[in-house]
Amino acid sequence: MTVRIGNCSGFYGDRFDAMSEMLEGGELDYLTGDYLAELTMLILGRDRMKNPERGYAKTFLRQAEQCLGTALDKRVKIVANAGGLNPAGLAEALREVARRLGLDARIAHVEGDDLIARADELGFVDAGQPAPLTANAYLGAWGIVECLGAGADVVVTGRVTDASVIVGPAAAHYGWKREDVDQLAGAVVAGHVIECGAQATGGNFSFFTEIADLSRPGFPIAEIEPDGSSVITKHPGTGGLVSVDTVTAQLLYEITGGRYAGPDVTARIDTAVLSADGPDRVRISGVRGEAPPPTLKVSLNSLAGFRNEAVFVLTGLDIDAKADLVRRQVEAGLAQRPADLDWTLARTDHADADTEEAASALLRCVVRDPDPNVVGRQFSSIPVELALSSYPGFTLTAPPGAGQPYGVFTPGYVDAAEVPHVAVLPDGTRVVIAPAPVTRALEDPSAPAAPALGEFGPTVRVPLGRVAGARSGDKGGNANLGVWVRTDEQWAWLANTLTVDAVRELLPEAASLTVTRSLLPHLRAVNFVIEGILGRGVASQARFDPQAKGLGEWLRSRHVDIPESLLPKGHSA
């Protein structure tokens, strides 16, 4: 029988009611949730500094208090990575909730990913650099499988890969073995689609205006078959849309190319074939898998210092001159120059504007330093003191406050055999999960040739987004940017036109950075990785869009010469 696996969370802070909506909205076998991201691990690390008994996603505990009885009544098993830095603590808190509610719930957890106590031994501490606050290896699905096999009703984990919370239930349901790489890869791809919640059902979707009701999109479900193929869908009557386009967009999210490596299997994203399977149903088939790499990725987060900023509003004429004046004034007033001092001017102003806001630009000054006083008292008073002695119309969006701590993310790698992967069963039994017996070093797939370009006739200069959708996101300090089109003719044009050089020209912020491109013909998509555009990760806030969420939409807004014959009807000018 097909196993139905739903998702109710794509991040720590996602829609609180989604767990109850998914449990009450239709039939499920498993309900999963992804609560962890690179930034979340830093947040949980700071929570643990304040209280060693914390370090897990408190939202999940509140959701479980409301929904655990319903899940037990409906025989829906829950699997989530909400344990964060303290899965054992969350498991015990869940048992207390169950006892208080009079529920007989079998709770299990997976641990072993937390390597902070061994960070120096494993080579994750660099002289002269801040010591890591968190160090967590990305575990796979087999600890989850062990817990479910022992009858667990709820399994909570620490840092497992996002897709593992979906792969584990599928593997447990069908009894897959480690050598079943195609089946596992299919489940990884299905998991990658649904683990970000409503991003698979119309959220953050380039063509969102085509969706009839996006006011409250439903959360996604993967119906996974014994061979690893799947259908992505959602509960009937919920908002949003599941289409080949929404699934394509999510498949392109935060990947690095045709191979998607994990601790259990390397899934070949470039083999996935999507097809419509009815209203709000998309079939994923053809996914092939390979043995996983011998190393596990490690998420390292450090507190790097303190950060502050001031945003000046510049209105009307002489914007550049006003910006130059306030730059000179601020820098002259600094008793000690911060380690980092960055200025950016956003020309949001319009000539002859009919509102004051439309006539204004924003000048942002960001400072960072290991010393909180340098970015606190010594900096924050300067912009305020300029109020009556600077450019005409001087104003700030808000006065700067005290410097706030900021973090940096660093990826690491460790031999899988060095990481203890332990399933703690409902009765307390501890089962050690061995690393993958067969591994394969990760390599780039052979680059497919771009299709023949052909003749498309006259062109018109319009935004790229007239024909292309995009999805972008962060991978540490790098940004992933996937672009796809809808027809074979558009694909031939896109693959030959949107080159690395073209992306550097269209996105000047990437002009000096390393950019790699991968072609994904089955998806009619091109994927780019732009290295270093996010500095040292989202917590460092190196740019105003620190997670690169809008990078794809910026690219879509850039004007290029597109053959008129490729434009959708009604969009030829």
Side-chain angles (χ1 to χ4, degrees), residues 361-373:
L362 298 176
L363 177 66
R364 185 184 306 272
C365 178
V366 177
V367 291
R368 300 181 188 86
D369 198 89
D371 185 345
N373 291 324

Side-chain angles (χ1 to χ4, degrees), residues 69-310:
T70 303
L72 293 172
D73 288 344
K74 293 197 165 193
R75 298 184 179 180
V76 178
K77 296 179 181 292
I78 298 174
V79 180
N81 61 12
L85 301 177
N86 188 8
L90 177 56
E92 184 53 39
L94 286 167
R95 293 187 189 98
E96 176 57 33
V97 166
R99 285 192 290 267
R100 190 168 69 249
L101 298 176
L103 301 174
D104 182 17
R106 292 164 292 185
I107 313 296
H109 74 274
V110 178
E111 63 185 30
D113 60 294
D114 194 343
L115 304 178
I116 191 62
R118 299 169 58 204
D120 195 7
E121 168 200 342
L122 295 171
F124 298 141
V125 178
D126 293 332
Q129 297 296 321
L133 176 66
T134 67
N136 295 80
Y138 286 76
L139 301 180
W142 296 105
I144 297 169
V145 172
E146 196 73 33
C147 292
L148 293 173
D153 299 305
V154 181
V155 182
V156 292
T157 76
R159 179 72 276 185
V160 298
T161 66
D162 300 341
S164 291
V165 296
I166 292 95
V167 177
H173 183 83
Y174 290 120
W176 293 338
K177 306 301 181 185
R178 289 182 182 265
E179 59 268 24
D180 296 325
V181 291
D182 290 343
Q183 292 93 322
L184 293 169
V188 165
V189 169
H192 179 60
V193 171
I194 73 169
E195 53 91 2
C196 270
Q199 280 197 167
T201 59
N204 293 343
F205 179 55
S206 291
F207 304 113
F208 70 98
T209 58
E210 299 177 5
I211 301 176
D213 177 17
L214 199 54
S215 57
R216 196 174 177 86
F219 275 63
I221 299 166
E223 298 177 349
I224 301 179
E225 303 287 347
D227 64 354
S229 63
S230 63
V231 170
I232 307 301
T233 186
K234 62 186 182 71
H235 283 322
T238 56
L241 173 71
V242 177
S243 69
V244 169
D245 280 323
T246 67
V247 174
T248 297
Q250 184 55 27
L251 269 181
L252 296 174
Y253 185 59
E254 294 184 351
I255 63 173
T256 57
R259 280 186 167 93
Y260 190 67
D264 302 316
V265 67
T266 293
R268 293 292 299 265
I269 298 284
D270 56 355
T271 62
V273 176
L274 307 185
S275 57
D277 194 59
D280 288 315
R281 294 179 62 83
V282 173
R283 178 168 294 280
I284 305 176
S285 60
V287 179
R288 296 292 175 260
E290 299 169 350
T295 58
L296 301 182
K297 184 178 177 181
V298 180
S299 171
L300 301 161
N301 286 281
S302 306
L303 291 175
F306 298 82
R307 179 187 183 278
N308 208 346
E309 70 173 45

